[in-house]
Amino acid sequence: MKTKRFPALIILVLALVILSGCSGISFNKRANTVDNWSHIKQRGYVIVGVDDTFVPMDFQQKNGRLTGYDVDLANAVFKLYGLKVSFQTIDWSMNTTELRNGTIDLIWNGFSKTPARKKKVRFSKTYLYSSQVLVALRRNKIFKPADMKQQTLGVQSGSSGYNDVMNYPRVFINRIKGHDPILYDSFTNAFIDLNAGRIQGLLIDSTYANYYISHEKKPELFSEVDSPFPKEEFAVGMRKSDTTLCRKVNAGLEELARNGTLDRINHKWFGNKAQSPLLKAK
């Protein structure tokens, strides 16, 4: 009986598929188990994952150019090391997955330190404080969290605000309509729904809220309510194995605090409202 032989082309294609799959697996594993600083230096740039709708941290202008507080800060830090920054838009709810897969080197986008995130990523020093605020239209007469009883709450999926809502159910979950918030991929869409009356309150980072409301034609139409949730610490997230990268980022942030660059970036985006522990330590 004659045995059937695969054409050489098919065998070659199968071999390439298998090798490429193994290569991807080995790369992901290597990225998570070794210090990647030498690889980043050789490459000449660092890849930063962002949500490009998070005003004023990272967002696209009308001409498509990415700008924002974290854009300026990341560029300033890596300029000290002669490296460029490549900003890559990601699904924010998949940020740690993107990091673990090796598609990005850093999460630098108003990324808050939380116990759950600390289990997955290594954090830099805190460079900015923020807090969660409840934004509403004044006509809805929502001036404290309790006023959200039987009202619809919006929050960004995968955000620290969402984590706060779920971890402290007495504040909102037990009060709001349906006992479940409406989830948004971006705050831009959430504000559209807030203005249209589809939601009555939006839990959001104070940095975004202050910037957005101040740029509205009629900022007096909005109210901001302090939440009882803990103050947030914005820091840079990276793989656990990237000890050198973490050390370089921390040293860079401290240098920007010393030479006045951090102060200038803070004032550019937040005026005198920015709170940075790095500046207090000077």
Side-chain angles (χ1 to χ4, degrees):
M1 178 186 255
K2 292 183 179 180
T3 57
K4 295 182 179 180
R5 297 172 181 260
F6 286 106
L9 180 60
I10 294 178
I11 295 174
L12 177 60
V13 170
L14 289 173
L16 289 174
V17 170
I18 294 171
L19 286 173
S20 63
C22 292
S23 176
I25 293 171
S26 62
F27 173 78
N28 294 344
K29 184 178 180 180
R30 184 172 67 251
N32 283 283
T33 56
V34 303
D35 191 318
N36 294 282
W37 177 250
S38 60
H39 172 67
I40 292 170
K41 282 285 287 184
Q42 184 178 18
R43 188 173 61 197
Y45 62 92
V46 62
I47 305 173
V48 174
V50 301
D51 167 8
D52 64 5
T53 67
F54 189 14
V55 180
M57 309 308 284
D58 302 82
F59 64 100
Q60 286 193 18
Q61 296 176 311
K62 291 182 179 180
N63 61 8
R65 179 175 173 268
L66 189 71
T67 188
Y69 177 88
D70 279 334
V71 173
D72 287 352
L73 194 57
N75 280 327
V77 165
F78 286 103
K79 184 179 180 181
L80 297 172
Y81 302 110
L83 292 172
K84 293 183 178 181
V85 182
S86 173
F87 296 95
Q88 182 170 311
T89 301
I90 61 174
D91 179 343
W92 190 245
S93 65
M94 300 290 287
N95 49 33
T96 57
T97 300
E98 296 278 9
L99 187 66
R100 191 166 55 248
N101 287 346
T103 54
I104 60 175
D105 302 309
L106 298 170
I107 303 171
W108 198 329
N109 193 191
F111 195 45
S112 303
K113 290 181 177 180
T114 68
R117 286 172 175 170
K118 286 180 180 179
K119 293 178 181 178
K120 298 179 180 180
V121 305
R122 179 184 295 276
F123 277 103
S124 71
K125 290 186 175 182
T126 300
Y127 62 83
L128 191 70
Y129 287 131
S130 185
S131 59
Q132 291 292 321
V133 294
L134 177 65
V135 175
L137 294 174
R138 288 188 179 277
R139 69 178 183 227
N140 292 334
K141 297 181 180 180
I142 295 172
F143 304 112
K144 57 183 183 296
D147 293 335
M148 284 297 295
K149 186 175 181 180
Q150 289 305 305
Q151 302 294 327
T152 305
L153 175 71
V155 66
Q156 186 184 32
S157 60
S159 67
S160 53
Y162 172 76
N163 293 334
D164 285 339
V165 168
M166 303 309 293
N167 291 335
Y168 302 91
R170 291 184 180 181
V171 179
F172 288 113
I173 290 296
N174 295 348
R175 291 191 172 104
I176 60 176
K177 188 175 181 179
H179 303 294
D180 208 17
I182 303 298
L183 302 182
Y184 292 91
D185 291 333
S186 74
F187 286 130
T188 302
N189 293 331
F191 265 104
I192 291 173
D193 277 5
L194 180 68
N195 286 313
R198 287 186 282 270
I199 60 175
Q200 287 70 52
L202 173 61
L203 191 69
I204 186 173
D205 287 291
S206 59
T207 51
Y208 187 108
N210 292 336
Y211 187 90
Y212 183 93
I213 293 173
S214 67
H215 284 74
E216 281 289 284
K217 292 182 179 179
K218 295 183 178 180
E220 67 276 7
L221 297 180
F222 296 86
S223 65
E224 281 187 55
V225 179
D226 291 335
S227 75
F229 302 131
K231 181 182 290 187
E232 294 178 37
E233 299 182 30
F234 285 175
V236 186
M238 61 207 80
R239 286 177 284 270
K240 292 275 190 179
S241 61
D242 280 327
T243 55
T244 303
L245 180 57
C246 186
R247 191 165 63 251
K248 296 292 184 179
V249 169
N250 285 337
L253 290 170
E254 290 170 348
E255 176 58 24
L256 297 186
R258 281 192 296 269
N259 67 24
T261 302
L262 179 58
D263 204 18
R264 289 193 294 273
I265 294 174
N266 284 351
H267 192 270
K268 172 183 175 180
W269 292 100
F270 303 117
N272 59 2
K273 290 187 176 182
Q275 298 180 41
S276 173
L278 295 173
L279 294 175
K280 289 180 180 180
K282 286 198 302 180

